[in-house]
Amino acid sequence: MNDKNKIIKQTFQKVFDDLEVVLGWKQGFDSLHMTPAFIRKASDLDQLVFNPQCVQNLSGYLFSTLKAADPEKQGKIGICVKGCDSRSLTALIQEGLVERDRVYIVGIPCKGVVDVKKLRNLKPSLTEISGITIEADEVVIEADGKTERFPIADVLAHKCLQCRYPNPLIYDALIGEPVTARVAQDAARPAVEQLDALSLEARRNFWLTEMDRCIRCYACRNACPMCVCQDSCIAETRSPKWLSQRSDISEKFLFHMIRTVHLAGRCTECGECMRVCPVDIPVTLLMEKMNCIVKELFDYEAGIDPESKPPLQTYDSSKTGI
Amino acid sequence: MKKYLMENLQQNSTEEQKIRIIGFLCNWCSYGGADTAGVCRFKQPTDLRIIRIPCTGRMDPMFAIKALINGADGVLVSGCHPNDCHYSVGNFYARRRMEALKRFLPFVGIDTQRFHYTWVSASEGQVWQQVVTEFTEKIHQLGPNPGFHINPDIQQPLSLAL
Ligand code: SF4
Ligand code: SF4
Ligand code: SF4
């Protein structure tokens, strides 16, 4: 057990009596995958880990966990967050979906997480991983008794390569030293720029070709911490009936437009939607573009300040403003 | 009513110009404005199909997107001038949504010129005439909506910097 894991465990141990459940990560079905852990017994705190394989954004579980929690007890939920996850959590607090005093937040400064798909492409034969560490521009992988180094772009998740907020913005306890952000706050988003540089028709074609693969499994929606409507999502309502069950491209397109519009000014760019897509559609890029627009128009970024209001949930009453 | 609309659409599509524009008009101002224009017998293009909404605050950006994806050639949204909203602030919310949408559309390949939002009051028959004439002209220049099907002739970007 490394130092960080020990400190995380000790931190939760101190307050465990006030907590109903602790959301953290533990090892999954093999040494490559970590999986969310819901810990209800103090003795299980040993399972908690933190490493670059802890990809899941646990804030996505908060809304439903709180809803399912015993309303009498008003117990707190303990949760581990990386920088990006803390933005989602902040956004949930901003919108009144999570009460700040119902959560105990353990923040972990983060150097990045791996994209399991990239790793598999790189090393299809990986079996026993004993450790992944991230240095400035390299990822060091110890696996099958060997140590190998790769450029970060080949291994890290898309979101981490353009991470602006690696340090949790909101926490009750911080584990470890703050790290420096990989890019400047106003740095460009290369993939979005790449698409912006195409012609209108090529762009439409790009998205249609991508969305053509969409199987409408709705995993992107279900993994999104900000998609809190879930079972009452308008993609599935019959009244009003926005989408049919047909598998036409226009229906798929509309589904993605629903998500883009509903997440305008709310998406925290945690990248979960893109990570979970079984057919590798870069859905996050839609929200990234929308976020650029929201930044331009309202000088606003989602999930930064728990006191501020998302721009599309308020207005400017001047005649000439937006 | 529905049958009439269908026949009307079909009829329209057999005519040589096949442009269809959907107008979402606020009940309190712009719908009145369009009515005023009619009562005053101002000449107006006939390509616009008007849908009356209670307030531009009710204007879900999805209405516009769904219309455009399903083949409308243009979408025009018009409501009360800022500070004149019947519900005080509906158009202020709308303004933010419409502007964000307008800037987003090109990212998915929809020409932003096919979407326009504006403010016209009930007494501004002449302004309405001008707005609808200009927008319709613009859409005629752009031609029919190219639609949403994959064009195999267009080269894909090889790999995105993901
Ligand atoms: S986006 Fe930033 S905070 Fe989130 S996992 Fe990547 S490096 Fe960590
Ligand atoms: S839309 Fe995607 S990137 Fe944005 S908050 Fe939801 S899951 Fe995260
Ligand atoms: S996860 Fe992928 S396939 Fe599933 S609905 Fe979302 S975009 Fe479509």
Side-chain angles (χ1 to χ4, degrees), chain A residues 1-16 19 21-28 34-51 53-54 56 58 77-81 104-108 175:
Chain A
M1 192 191 270
N2 68 26
D3 275 356
K4 249 187 192 162
N5 296 355
K6 215 184 277 168
I7 304 171
I8 294 173
K9 182 190 156 187
Q10 285 163 355
T11 311
F12 279 123
Q13 234 161 11
K14 272 186 238 154
V15 291
F16 199 75
L19 304 180
V21 54
V22 167
L23 306 185
W25 300 274
K26 63 178 181 186
Q27 194 189 312
M34 300 299 135
T35 191
F38 289 72
I39 290 178
R40 293 175 194 276
K41 282 196 301 225
S43 56
D44 289 343
L45 282 174
D46 280 336
Q47 297 174 355
L48 289 181
V49 295
F50 182 75
N51 58 35
Q53 292 140 269
C54 294
Q56 297 88 353
L58 303 172
I77 313 263
I79 183 168
C80 296
V81 293
Y104 180 79
I105 309 165
V106 169
I108 312 173
I175 310 290

Side-chain angles (χ1 to χ4, degrees), chain A residues 118 194 196 200-201 203-205 207 209 242 253 258 286 289 296-297 311 315-319 321-322, chain B residues 62-63 66 69 82 89 92 95-96 103-104 106-109 146-148 150-151 154 156 159-162:
Chain A
K118 283 187 188 171
Q194 222 179 321
D196 271 335
L200 203 61
E201 205 183 352
R203 222 156 28 220
R204 181 171 59 238
N205 219 46
W207 282 112
T209 316
W242 276 94
F253 203 98
I258 291 174
L286 294 169
K289 175 67 188 181
E296 217 172 83
L297 281 175
Y315 58 86
D316 173 351
S317 61
S318 71
K319 260 208 150 104
I322 285 283
Chain B
M62 285 304 298
F63 293 162
K66 186 155 180 163
I69 287 181
V89 295
F92 289 137
R95 189 165 61 179
R96 292 194 156 195
R103 292 180 188 217
F104 178 78
F107 192 64
V108 285
F148 288 82
I150 298 169
N151 180 350
I154 294 184
Q156 291 298 306
S159 67
L160 281 179
L162 287 177

Side-chain angles (χ1 to χ4, degrees), chain B residues 83-148:
Chain B
N83 290 331
D84 286 347
C85 174
H86 188 75
Y87 307 98
S88 308
V89 295
N91 54 0
F92 289 137
Y93 284 103
R95 189 165 61 179
R96 292 194 156 195
R97 294 176 196 153
M98 298 303 112
E99 187 59 32
L101 174 69
K102 194 170 174 58
R103 292 180 188 217
F104 178 78
L105 289 176
F107 192 64
V108 285
I110 299 175
D111 195 331
T112 180
Q113 298 182 85
R114 293 188 187 277
F115 175 75
H116 184 59
Y117 72 97
T118 185
W119 320 119
V120 174
S121 83
S123 58
E124 294 176 325
Q126 212 139 27
V127 176
W128 172 255
Q129 179 197 31
Q130 198 188 342
V131 160
V132 74
T133 309
E134 277 171 16
F135 186 64
T136 309
E137 265 170 22
K138 169 75 65 49
I139 301 298
H140 276 270
Q141 270 165 26
L142 292 174
N145 185 336
F148 288 82

Side-chain angles (χ1 to χ4, degrees), chain A residues 214-220 255-256 273 276-279 281 283:
Chain A
C214 176
I215 51 172
R216 282 171 70 190
C217 64
Y218 297 156
C220 47
F255 169 66
H256 290 289
C273 45
V276 297
C277 179
V279 291
I281 300 174
V283 266

